[in-house]
């Protein structure tokens, strides 16, 4: 089998541009998803069943339906409904953030609930409010335990951003597919994309491992 | 100082406390004893409302704590609590454990919290451990830090929930010593414990609880030497 390095070289600038967009999309979605996830996770834990219900529905919907369907709904339905037009990059960021938010909410909830009940009681017995006890006692301990599952979620999110190719957001997979259809080649474009994704996800794992170890020694 | 009236507490269908009435005077040390499952820990936790009470009233210095207009956090600043399992904050140093609540709840300055924290650690004999983390301490040391942490809020009442039950036998003494000192200084204390020696020596009054009711209460001498109730007698014969 001949491997055509020349078409990879030809597409290198586009793959580079696509990679940058993939990184950008992922980082922004991770950021928004994390903030969203904290809010939704706390919302789901509210004792009042009526108040926590919408948060439970949110999580059920975004975890229970395929991300692909969510991307199409948001790209073709939600964004045009509000703005009259649509944009692949924006739609991808919205879909990824909302989707990650649901998973991250569960990570936050699990992290917070894994902290011994005595910690909250110890803090409350000293006269701290629920919010103070959360902020100074429970969350700092829970956040350490959340890092491994969060890292997992971030890696999944980077990979899932490849779905944006189908709504013409010019990220890495988009250019891979463009290359494949221009030259009718399979191995060169998809292997190149796969390796770049692998580099991205491995780097993410590496960074989070470092962070985890640093927090452990503190 | 503390007045508990017709206190009831149920968990689901399980009636843990049935009509408890107790009054504790200032500087009094009340020791609560009884078999496990008798409701004595729940009773203690109802005093500062770590458990929501099902019925009855709890007054702390005349304030009805179950009244909706009362901020329970204000009450809790006056009522320190020491737990069986210490509940120290493992991500903070010993000194930070002691300083946290005064800083965040009383809003005193960092310098003041620090000097007060060091003073309290000296009082419980742990000045040299100020910068250590709780996980590096022995059980007895942890419990002494927990006492210092509760005292940092300058409470008027201290509740002790089996403070020595999770300790190795050789560490029980050092914790009881700190508690004796507190009692001698005139602190109002309610102590749930299995340490009958402590009850005899330090207690002004002993309450024997079983199956959610106060079976008998009396001075330690009377209760231990001359128990009136059959259940008290059989319990004491097993533990003494």
């Amino acid at each position: 089998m001949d491997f055509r390095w020349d078409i990879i070289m030809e597409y290198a600038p586009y793959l580079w541009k696509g990679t940058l967009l993939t990184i950008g999309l992922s980082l922004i979605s991770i950021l928004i998803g994390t903030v969203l996830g904290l809010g939704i996770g706390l919302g789901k834990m509210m004792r009042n069943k009526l108040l926590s219900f919408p948060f439970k529905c949110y999580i059920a919907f975004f975890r229970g339906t395929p991300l692909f369907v969510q991307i199409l709904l948001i790209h073709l339905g939600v964004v045009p409904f509000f703005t009259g037009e649509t944009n692949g990059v924006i739609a991808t960021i919205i879909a990824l953030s909302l989707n990650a938010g649901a998973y991250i909410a569960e990570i936050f909830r699990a992290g917070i609930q894994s902290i011994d009940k005595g910690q909250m009681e110890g803090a409350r017995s000293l006269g701290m409010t629920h919010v103070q006890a959360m902020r100074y006692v429970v969350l700092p301990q829970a956040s350490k335990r959340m890092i491994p599952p969060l890292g997992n979620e971030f890696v999944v999110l980077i990979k899932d951003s490849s779905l944006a190719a189908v709504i013409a957001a010019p990220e890495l997979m988009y250019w891979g597919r463009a290359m494949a259809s221009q030259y009718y080649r399979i191995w060169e474009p998809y292997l190149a994309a796969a390796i770049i994704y692998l580099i991205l996800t491995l780097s993410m794992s590496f960074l989070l491992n470092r962070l985890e170890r640093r927090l452990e020694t503190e | 100082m503390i007045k508990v009236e017709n206190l009831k507490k149920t968990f689901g269908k399980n009636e843990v406390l049935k009509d408890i009435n107790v009054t504790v005077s200032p500087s009094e040390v009340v020791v609560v004893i009884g078999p496990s499952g008798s409701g004595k820990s729940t009773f203690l936790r109802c005093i500062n409302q770590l458990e929501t009470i099902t019925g009855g009233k709890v007054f702390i210095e005349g304030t009805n704590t179950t009244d909706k207009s009362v901020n329970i956090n204000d009450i809790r600043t006056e009522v320190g609590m020491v737990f069986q399992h210490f509940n120290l904050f493992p991500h903070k140093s010993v000194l930070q454990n002691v300083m946290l609540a005064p800083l965040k709840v009383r809003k005193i300055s960092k310098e003041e919290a620090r000097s007060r924290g060091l003073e309290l650690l000296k009082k419980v004999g742990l000045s040299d451990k100020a910068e250590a983390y709780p996980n590096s301490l022995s059980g007895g040391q942890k419990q002494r830090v927990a006492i210092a942490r509760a005292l940092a809020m300058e409470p008027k009442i201290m509740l002790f929930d089996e403070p020595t039950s999770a300790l190795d036998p050789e560490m029980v003494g050092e914790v009881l010593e700190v508690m004796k000192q507190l009692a001698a200084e005139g602190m109002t204390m309610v102590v749930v414990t299995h340490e009958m020696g402590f009850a005899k020596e330090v207690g002004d009054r002993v309450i024997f609880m079983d199956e959610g009711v106060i079976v008998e209460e009396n001075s330690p001498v009377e209760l231990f030497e001359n128990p009136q109730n059959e259940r008290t007698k059989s319990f004491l014969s097993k533990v003494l």
Side-chain angles (χ1 to χ4, degrees):
Chain A
M1 186 186 87
D2 59 330
F3 194 84
R4 287 189 54 190
W5 290 100
D6 61 308
I7 64 170
I8 295 185
M9 292 316 291
E10 188 197 325
Y11 259 89
Y14 300 110
L15 292 176
W16 173 243
K17 255 177 33 188
T19 305
L20 289 183
L21 183 62
T22 291
I23 295 175
L25 281 175
S26 306
L27 287 183
I28 293 173
S29 304
I30 284 172
L31 224 67
I32 302 176
T34 305
V35 175
L36 213 58
L38 179 60
I40 294 165
L42 290 173
K44 192 187 172 182
M45 278 191 292
M46 279 193 294
R47 276 212 211 131
N48 187 322
K49 287 211 169 103
L50 216 65
L51 289 177
S52 69
F53 184 70
F55 297 99
K56 284 181 183 153
C57 292
Y58 178 95
I59 292 172
F61 178 79
F62 281 97
R63 290 206 316 169
T65 57
L67 176 60
F68 190 41
V69 176
Q70 294 164 16
I71 289 179
L72 291 178
L73 268 177
I74 288 166
H75 181 59
L76 303 172
V78 177
V79 177
F81 178 79
F82 285 107
T83 63
E85 51 185 356
T86 195
N87 174 311
V89 174
I90 307 265
T92 304
I93 290 176
I94 295 175
L96 285 176
S97 304
L98 293 179
N99 183 274
Y103 284 95
I104 292 171
E106 288 295 76
I107 294 172
F108 274 118
R109 190 179 60 83
I112 288 169
Q113 288 180 346
S114 77
I115 301 300
D116 180 48
K117 221 174 90 228
Q119 291 292 309
M120 176 56 88
E121 287 186 351
R124 293 305 301 274
S125 77
L126 292 162
M128 282 189 227
T129 63
H130 186 85
V131 173
Q132 285 177 322
M134 269 290 170
R135 179 164 162 207
Y136 300 115
V137 176
V138 177
L139 283 179
Q141 296 180 61
S143 60
K144 272 188 210 174
R145 295 191 191 174
M146 289 178 216
I147 289 172
L150 273 181
N152 203 18
E153 175 57 28
F154 295 166
V155 165
V156 168
L157 193 144
I158 291 174
K159 294 188 295 179
D160 281 352
S161 70
S162 63
L163 285 171
V166 297
I167 57 169
E171 45 68 78
L172 176 54
M173 201 58 219
Y174 173 87
W175 290 111
R177 274 160 52 106
M179 182 169 152
S181 50
Q182 184 181 346
Y183 290 103
Y184 299 106
R185 303 289 296 186
I186 303 293
W187 294 100
E188 290 86 352
Y190 294 131
L191 270 183
I195 287 167
I196 296 172
Y197 277 115
L198 192 60
I199 293 169
L200 293 183
T201 53
L202 287 178
S203 312
M204 176 57 89
S205 306
F206 174 77
L207 285 176
L208 283 153
N209 274 337
R210 289 258 315 243
L211 180 66
E212 195 183 343
R213 240 176 299 150
R214 228 184 68 194
L215 285 175
E216 247 166 40
T217 49
E218 257 174 21
Chain B
M1 199 86 183
I2 306 175
K3 192 165 184 224
V4 177
E5 275 179 3
N6 308 107
L7 173 63
K8 286 189 185 67
K9 172 70 190 174
T10 54
F11 290 108
K13 283 186 179 155
N14 187 12
E15 205 173 14
V16 183
L17 296 176
K18 308 161 190 167
D19 198 30
I20 301 282
N21 290 283
V22 176
T23 307
V24 181
S25 321
S27 298
E28 197 181 11
V29 177
V30 174
V31 179
V32 184
I33 60 171
S36 50
S38 59
K40 52 195 193 308
S41 283
T42 308
F43 162 64
L44 200 68
R45 292 161 58 84
C46 282
I47 294 178
N48 68 352
Q49 299 221 3
L50 281 182
E51 302 290 351
T52 321
I53 70 179
T54 314
K57 286 175 181 158
V58 176
F59 295 90
I60 305 278
E61 289 193 288
T63 311
N64 182 359
T65 62
T66 47
D67 195 326
K68 285 226 160 43
S69 64
V70 171
N71 182 352
I72 190 63
N73 296 318
D74 294 339
I75 303 286
R76 287 188 184 133
T77 60
E78 306 296 333
V79 184
M81 182 152 189
V82 174
F83 299 85
Q84 180 177 0
H85 295 289
F86 329 122
N87 298 354
L88 293 177
F89 309 137
H91 61 302
K92 294 192 174 293
S93 73
V94 164
L95 183 59
Q96 286 169 337
N97 262 274
V98 179
M99 286 166 63
L100 182 67
L103 278 178
K104 303 299 176 191
V105 181
R106 292 255 193 253
K107 316 258 186 223
I108 64 174
S109 72
K110 214 165 184 177
E111 293 73 37
E112 201 184 335
R114 194 183 157 78
S115 70
R116 173 139 189 84
L118 287 170
E119 201 180 296
L120 282 166
L121 287 176
K122 193 170 155 198
K123 179 173 176 167
V124 298
L126 289 170
S127 296
D128 54 327
K129 298 287 184 188
E131 303 305 325
Y133 279 80
N135 287 339
S136 68
L137 303 182
S138 72
Q141 290 171 331
K142 280 182 193 168
Q143 198 58 297
R144 285 186 281 152
V145 174
I147 294 173
R149 182 179 71 175
L151 290 176
M153 291 299 286
E154 303 183 299
K156 301 197 175 87
I157 298 165
M158 284 285 280
L159 308 175
F160 292 84
D161 187 4
E162 301 199 25
T164 56
S165 296
L167 300 180
D168 289 336
E170 76 266 28
M171 292 167 184
V172 170
E174 63 193 64
V175 172
L176 292 182
E177 210 46 57
V178 173
M179 290 167 62
K180 279 178 204 167
Q181 190 191 334
L182 261 183
E185 287 167 11
M187 176 65 78
T188 309
M189 291 162 61
V190 181
V191 185
V192 170
T193 187
H194 294 293
E195 292 296 325
M196 298 303 152
F198 176 85
K200 272 183 199 163
E201 190 183 340
V202 186
D204 294 314
R205 184 151 47 107
V206 179
I207 292 177
F208 172 69
M209 276 181 76
D210 193 15
E211 291 175 1
V213 294
I214 293 178
V215 176
E216 195 167 345
E217 68 178 293
N218 216 327
S219 70
V221 180
E222 276 297 309
L223 192 116
F224 286 117
E225 316 257 307
N226 190 17
Q228 300 298 312
N229 190 292
E230 280 309 316
R231 277 192 281 175
T232 319
K233 280 180 198 165
S234 95
F235 175 75
L236 289 175
S237 70
K238 279 177 216 150
V239 295
L240 287 180

